[in-house]
Amino acid sequence: IHPTDIISTVEFNHTGELLATGDKGGRVVIFQREPESKTEPFSQGEYNVYSTFQSHEPEFDYLKSLEIEEKINKIRWLPQQNAAHFLLSTNDKTIKLWKVSERDKRPEGYNLKDEEGRIKDISTVTSLQVPVLKPMDLMVEVTPRRVFANAHTYHINSISVNSDYETYMSADDLRINLWHLDITDRSFNIVDIKPANMEDLTEVITAAEFHPHHCNLFVYSSSKGTLRLCDMREAALCDKHSKLFEEPEDPSARSFFSEIISSVSDVKFSHSGRYLLTRDYLTAKVWDLNMESKPLETYQVHDYLRSKLCSLYENDCIFDKFECAWNGSDSVIMTGAYNNFFRMFDRNTKRDVTLEASRESSKPRAVLKPRRVCAAGGKRRKDDISVDSLDFTKKILHTAWHPNENIIAIAATNNLYIFQDKLNSEMH
């Protein structure tokens, strides 16, 4: 596998008809859902490549002697306003706004140009004609509309479009900036946690997201495991949060790894806007915006790794940043794990399932079989997999759920798996 082919972000648009992936090589690939076919019932809803383009190139910061890699950190779609689609993509330093549009007609019959586009000699033009639009093969054009640069000293980890559809924010390790989609030469700093002396630094921002309905609210998570809800109506600089969500630490469970595994790697508002979903190294948690003292629900993603933290620290896997996702009705949550496994938790029935993203399970008509990992020394059933035989190089960090339907997109290294209506029956 070439490192540049590794998928680094996955995102459905607001209707779920388009799915974008970004990779470490700076490319964005957009997939489009095929319309239902009467002749081939099993091809319904398949996602096929719609467009591929190079979003970012590797750069070099001469002032700091730093290489800026082209890897796409995040993609966010803007809600569709007309025939064209717009999306934001970002690497460590620069955010770009792209327009994705279709063209199926071309103008013909110019008076001053010939068929090849060369300028005619005016003396040869004896009559005037009206140019006409002729049908042509469908072309998908991707054009850069805005480039938002030079606003981040540290690496950008999140971008989030506001519900006013006019502004968006970008977050790096220590600051969050607010941008207007039409203005590229300035942004407003709304959070700054950089201490006067960098030796006093105790935490960094790990993720940030706007509320889905209230344009004044946003949340950001930290490496200390806390969530801060901020209200932009209170002050221009939101250094003082409105709410702090933090789970008190159990002193008896404290270890050398406690701080590392409590770092929040992703935070997502539910579609309703009432709940927050967070992911740390071992758990996924659901928080109620009205209760700051502790999470409403805590789900163990891979508790069997607790005894393996030492070796996971040595091979750096303990620093992996797993993302999480809600289904359309906020009743099921999904997040990734190792060995190409991903986990789903039904919030109503409290059932959970481990599924595997593999070539076999992605074949048409194949059913996703639940997998089970047994702890070292535990009793093994048939088809169980032992913790010691898990492949930690195969990790599912990036997942996305269709906004309305049971369709999920799973990025497994350089493969994208799209599962549709195959979600295990026990989850329904």
Side-chain angles (χ1 to χ4, degrees):
I1 298 168
H2 201 278
T4 57
D5 294 334
I6 295 171
I7 298 171
S8 53
T9 182
V10 187
E11 186 79 5
F12 279 103
N13 75 339
H14 292 258
T15 60
E17 291 304 299
L18 297 177
L19 171 68
T21 66
D23 65 23
K24 288 191 173 180
R27 291 179 299 262
V28 172
V29 182
I30 302 172
F31 298 85
Q32 184 183 44
R33 194 177 183 191
E34 293 299 317
E36 215 166 316
S37 160
K38 286 182 178 139
T39 52
E40 296 176 61
F42 282 102
S43 74
Q44 185 262 324
E46 270 188 14
Y47 283 82
N48 290 321
V49 175
Y50 178 62
S51 179
T52 304
F53 63 97
Q54 188 72 30
S55 170
H56 287 71
E57 302 278 358
E59 293 174 58
F60 192 79
D61 185 333
Y62 295 100
L63 290 174
K64 295 181 181 160
S65 293
L66 276 180
E67 279 186 37
I68 302 165
E69 58 178 17
E70 65 273 38
K71 174 187 162 219
I72 308 291
N73 291 343
K74 285 284 183 289
I75 290 172
R76 289 291 177 266
W77 291 91
L78 273 62
Q80 194 175 0
Q81 312 281 359
N82 52 32
H85 296 274
F86 289 86
L87 64 86
L88 288 165
S89 65
T90 184
N91 67 351
D92 286 341
K93 298 287 181 184
T94 306
I95 304 148
K96 294 183 182 181
L97 175 67
W98 296 90
K99 179 185 180 183
V100 184
S101 52
E102 292 183 354
R103 209 169 74 186
D104 59 358
K105 292 183 176 66
R106 67 165 182 269
E108 276 185 14
Y110 285 111
N111 291 298
L112 301 178
K113 288 183 195 167
D114 62 16
E115 298 303 315
E116 267 73 55
R118 291 188 296 264
I119 302 292
K120 288 182 188 173
D121 179 1
I122 295 177
S123 60
T124 62
V125 179
T126 54
S127 62
L128 293 178
Q129 58 183 353
V130 178
V132 291
L133 288 171
K134 290 274 181 75
M136 60 178 254
D137 289 341
L138 182 70
M139 240 175 75
V140 180
E141 293 183 318
V142 182
T143 47
R145 298 307 298 266
R146 308 264 187 283
V147 177
F148 306 89
N150 306 324
H152 285 278
T153 312
Y154 307 98
H155 291 178
I156 298 171
N157 55 45
S158 308
I159 48 175
S160 177
V161 180
N162 199 346
S163 58
D164 62 11
Y165 305 147
E166 281 193 356
T167 56
Y168 75 92
M169 70 176 169
S170 55
D172 66 23
D173 297 335
L174 297 178
R175 297 190 182 102
I176 300 176
N177 292 333
L178 181 70
W179 300 83
H180 192 285
L181 283 160
D182 289 333
I183 301 166
T184 58
D185 59 356
R186 65 179 180 273
S187 63
F188 295 98
N189 180 230
I190 51 174
V191 172
D192 187 348
I193 64 164
K194 186 183 178 193
N197 181 359
M198 282 297 267
E199 286 176 9
D200 300 333
L201 185 69
T202 57
E203 63 181 333
V204 293
I205 297 166
T206 54
E209 190 176 58
F210 268 119
H211 190 284
H213 311 302
H214 301 300
C215 60
N216 51 290
L217 294 177
F218 68 92
V219 69
Y220 69 92
S221 59
S222 89
S223 56
K224 273 192 164 175
T226 59
L227 300 171
R228 290 178 174 86
L229 185 76
C230 301
D231 190 338
M232 292 193 289
R233 294 173 300 186
E234 286 180 22
L237 193 63
C238 300
D239 284 355
K240 289 189 173 68
H241 48 266
S242 307
K243 290 191 172 191
L244 175 71
F245 300 86
E246 187 172 19
E247 188 169 23
E249 192 183 26
D250 177 6
S252 63
R254 181 151 183 83
S255 74
F256 170 74
F257 305 109
S258 295
E259 225 165 274
I260 303 171
I261 62 171
S262 66
S263 174
V264 174
S265 55
D266 195 19
V267 59
K268 293 267 170 46
F269 272 104
S270 62
H271 296 81
S272 66
R274 170 74 188 268
Y275 303 104
L276 286 165
L277 169 61
T278 63
R279 172 70 207 263
D280 55 40
Y281 191 64
L282 294 176
T283 64
K285 292 172 182 167
V286 174
W287 301 77
D288 188 324
L289 283 194
N290 301 333
M291 184 171 78
E292 298 153 74
S293 56
K294 63 177 195 290
L296 198 63
E297 301 150 23
T298 300
Y299 300 99
Q300 300 298 333
V301 178
H302 37 208
D303 204 45
Y304 46 78
L305 293 183
R306 217 172 268 278
S307 60
K308 291 251 175 290
L309 292 177
C310 217
S311 55
L312 290 164
Y313 178 74
E314 284 167 10
N315 64 14
D316 279 351
C317 284
I318 202 167
F319 301 106
D320 285 336
K321 292 177 169 53
F322 291 95
E323 292 173 9
C324 49
W326 296 89
N327 73 338
S329 60
D330 298 335
S331 59
V332 182
I333 61 172
M334 168 175 68
T335 189
Y338 291 107
N339 209 66
N340 276 1
F341 288 171
F342 58 98
R343 303 270 284 135
M344 287 188 173
F345 302 94
D346 190 311
R347 298 180 57 214
N348 301 325
T349 63
K350 300 301 176 201
R351 284 185 177 158
D352 68 281
V353 67
T354 303
L355 301 167
E356 183 179 9
S358 66
R359 293 267 160 94
E360 285 68 46
S361 59
S362 61
K363 286 175 183 165
R365 305 183 198 186
V367 178
L368 283 173
K369 292 191 187 79
R371 302 300 306 263
R372 190 170 165 272
V373 180
C374 70
K379 272 191 178 176
R380 281 182 70 172
R381 287 189 244 154
K382 185 177 173 277
D383 291 339
D384 277 8
I385 183 163
S386 153
V387 178
D388 299 317
S389 54
L390 290 177
D391 186 343
F392 291 105
T393 61
K394 293 180 176 174
K395 48 191 101 172
I396 289 175
L397 304 176
H398 314 288
T399 58
W401 203 310
H402 188 290
N404 315 311
E405 296 180 45
N406 267 333
I407 300 174
I408 55 173
I410 307 283
T413 325
N414 63 332
N415 294 310
L416 178 71
Y417 295 102
I418 299 168
F419 298 115
Q420 175 177 355
D421 294 329
K422 288 185 188 178
L423 307 188
N424 194 272
S425 54
E426 65 182 291
M427 295 302 294
H428 286 253

